Amino acid sequence: MDDEPLILAFCCHYCAYAAADLAGSMRLQYPGNVRVLRLPCTGKLEVNYLLAAFERGIDGVIVAGCLEGGCHFLEGNLRARRRVERARQLLSEIGLEPERLEMFNLSSAEGTRFAEIVTIMVQRIKRLGKSPLRPDPIHVEQGVQEIGRQAEAML
Amino acid sequence: MIVADRKKVPEIRDMVKNHQRVLLVGCGTCVTVCLAGGEREVGILGSALRMSLRLQGRGDITVDECTIERQCEDAFIDVLAQRVAEYDAICSLGCGAGVQALAERFPKLPVYPGLNTQFMGILESQGVWTEKCAGCGNCRLGEFAGICPITRCAKHMLNGPCGGSQQGKCEVNADLPCAWQLIFERAGALGILERFDEIVPPHDWSTGLDGGPRKVVREDQCIAGLGPQA
């Protein structure tokens, strides 16, 4: 696991989280490098959540929200996209590859797409290499749990 | 309100990189409203700055965060007094007044600006702020239908428009509305266009910044016996 990238996926409850569930029900195979955090909507996402993930040594971050026009809260996913863009600019400023962060849109029926997104990101992060901010793997996993707890506490 | 925007992370990193313990101090007033230096922005900068320092091999530097209600008033800085003893530098996410207030209060600590203070302005639309007041110390908005030619005309003309006003836009920038076009339109709507038949005399700049930093004194509010020096 030491050499495997660790990816955090912020998933909207109404689409990507359900799609991840469906991918499991469909017995689809995708890399086990992803840790899923459920949000009520990607509009809940703040720039500091994304930076907190990288600060704790996560190698890549997926933000997965509803298809554009299909947000349960009308425009949460559109706001999330702008925040992701801002976080990417910040990553660029500090000298970390912005490609480590990407937003995807999918519906709850797209289990196959979810598996595909995880595969795409894992391949991309393997190409970029491990995050230079990465401590040992145990601490990264602890970081994921910490972000999860913080996100839960904010709900 | 005072409008500011954040300096780039590498610039801030280079300012603080020779210190060991840095406190980022946000301000809960104007710069919170213009989304430059409030609690959330301090958190974002703190995270970005720590990562940037680690990538430069200076992960040993501690960067902590706090936000006070108002940096430009000494009474609100009180809450920081004990905490700053643990740090060897402050990076303020307040406006220029806030940075200087902290510097005056903590004479032994270097205080660095995390923001570029831009102007006094208003929220034009979500995420867009525009300059409205130059703080010239001699307000004449009443003469110009409530639109300031000193701030909003690129040439600060008191008898405009100039020949560069084209289809309501300024020649300096095609996106910039001509202040004098706005003044005449509003004056026309208010029925006070005849006001502009007369040449407006030159502005009295003695109240402006050219005479050095200005001071406003309200004797009745000063502490009795101490006067404006208190």
Side-chain angles (χ1 to χ4, degrees), chain B residues 27 37 41 53 55 57 65 74 78 82 88 96 119 132 140 146 179 212 220-221 226 230:
Chain B
C27 178
E41 299 302 316
L53 285 164
L55 289 170
E65 303 143 18
D74 201 46
D78 274 345
Q82 273 196 318
D88 56 7
F119 49 76
K132 297 291 180 193
R140 297 171 67 181
D220 61 320
Q221 295 292 320
L226 296 176

Side-chain angles (χ1 to χ4, degrees), chain B residues 68 70 73-83 105-106:
Chain B
I68 60 174
R70 198 178 301 165
E73 209 171 314
D74 201 46
F76 290 94
I77 305 176
D78 274 345
V79 293
L80 273 184
Q82 273 196 318
R83 189 162 181 198
R105 177 64 184 265
F106 306 116

Side-chain angles (χ1 to χ4, degrees), chain B residues 3-153:
Chain B
V3 179
D5 61 357
R6 181 179 52 79
K7 284 180 180 290
K8 296 279 184 202
V9 178
E11 186 182 347
I12 299 172
R13 180 196 65 212
D14 290 345
M15 284 191 285
V16 304
K17 68 181 179 190
N18 294 323
H19 298 283
Q20 208 53 47
R21 292 183 59 80
V22 180
L23 183 62
L24 295 181
V25 183
C27 178
T29 315
C30 310
V31 293
T32 292
V33 181
C34 70
L35 308 177
E39 193 171 359
R40 182 188 298 170
E41 299 302 316
V42 168
I44 291 170
L45 178 66
S47 203
L49 190 57
R50 282 188 292 273
M51 284 195 275
S52 183
L53 285 164
R54 274 167 66 188
L55 289 170
Q56 295 283 309
R58 292 303 318 269
D60 56 315
I61 299 176
T62 302
V63 177
D64 289 337
E65 303 143 18
C66 77
T67 300
I68 60 174
E69 188 60 35
R70 198 178 301 165
Q71 286 189 17
C72 58
E73 209 171 314
D74 201 46
F76 290 94
I77 305 176
D78 274 345
V79 293
L80 273 184
Q82 273 196 318
R83 189 162 181 198
V84 294
E86 302 163 26
Y87 297 89
D88 56 7
I90 291 176
C91 177
S92 161
L93 269 79
C95 68
V99 176
Q100 293 179 69
L102 292 179
E104 281 179 24
R105 177 64 184 265
F106 306 116
K108 291 181 180 166
L109 271 184
V111 181
Y112 300 103
L115 303 182
N116 291 318
T117 306
Q118 300 291 348
F119 49 76
M120 279 183 278
I122 64 165
L123 179 72
E124 190 176 272
S125 62
Q126 188 70 29
V128 179
W129 292 267
T130 47
E131 185 169 15
K132 297 291 180 193
C133 178
C136 68
N138 182 15
C139 189
R140 297 171 67 181
L141 278 166
E143 296 170 48
F144 300 107
I147 292 162
C148 179
I150 292 171
T151 315
R152 297 171 66 181
C153 167

Side-chain angles (χ1 to χ4, degrees), chain B residues 139-214:
Chain B
C139 189
R140 297 171 67 181
L141 278 166
E143 296 170 48
F144 300 107
I147 292 162
C148 179
I150 292 171
T151 315
R152 297 171 66 181
C153 167
K155 295 177 180 171
H156 318 304
M157 290 183 77
L158 293 184
N159 293 284
C162 70
S165 175
Q166 288 164 6
Q167 293 173 341
K169 301 293 181 189
C170 175
E171 64 179 341
V172 169
N173 179 345
D175 294 329
L176 194 66
C178 167
W180 274 99
Q181 177 80 24
L182 299 176
I183 291 170
F184 273 102
E185 280 173 4
R186 187 165 153 82
L190 292 172
I192 54 169
L193 271 176
E194 72 283 356
R195 188 170 289 177
F196 299 103
D197 290 343
E198 303 286 322
I199 297 293
V200 176
H203 193 62
D204 175 7
W205 288 104
S206 66
T207 54
L209 187 62
D210 296 344
R214 295 161 280 176

Side-chain angles (χ1 to χ4, degrees), chain A:
Chain A
M1 188 64 200
D2 266 22
D3 295 326
E4 286 293 316
L6 191 61
I7 289 171
L8 185 59
F10 289 100
C11 293
C12 159
H13 166 79
Y14 292 95
C15 57
Y17 193 78
D21 209 18
L22 181 61
S25 304
M26 290 167 75
R27 302 275 189 269
L28 296 176
Q29 295 292 312
Y30 60 85
N33 312 52
V34 68
R35 303 290 178 270
V36 175
L37 278 182
R38 183 171 64 104
L39 296 172
C41 170
T42 47
K44 178 69 193 77
L45 201 60
E46 300 276 3
V47 172
N48 45 3
Y49 286 16
L50 300 169
L51 295 186
F54 287 106
E55 194 181 350
R56 284 162 176 78
I58 303 288
D59 302 297
V61 174
I62 293 169
V63 176
C66 299
L67 296 169
E68 293 194 1
C71 174
H72 193 77
F73 301 99
L74 303 179
E75 54 178 40
N77 54 351
L78 305 179
R79 289 169 188 233
R81 183 167 288 283
R82 294 204 294 266
R83 288 171 196 158
V84 165
E85 197 44 52
R86 176 149 187 258
R88 282 168 64 106
Q89 284 168 5
L90 276 159
L91 291 181
S92 220
E93 270 182 45
I94 65 173
L96 207 58
E97 301 91 344
E99 297 82 13
R100 290 182 183 276
L101 169 63
E102 187 77 50
M103 173 143 189
F104 298 91
N105 299 89
L106 72 169
S107 81
S108 58
E110 293 181 287
T112 319
R113 174 72 180 143
F114 182 82
E116 186 183 291
I117 286 168
V118 173
T119 310
I120 289 171
M121 277 304 274
V122 169
Q123 283 170 353
R124 183 189 297 180
I125 302 302
K126 278 186 173 169
R127 199 176 63 244
L128 291 170
K130 279 192 296 186
S131 165
L133 296 165
R134 193 177 185 184
D136 59 84
I138 295 169
H139 281 96
V140 185
E141 291 283 3
Q142 283 173 352
V144 171
Q145 287 167 16
E146 199 179 320
I147 295 165
R149 279 196 300 274
Q150 283 174 3
E152 287 284 330
M154 297 288 279
L155 297 182

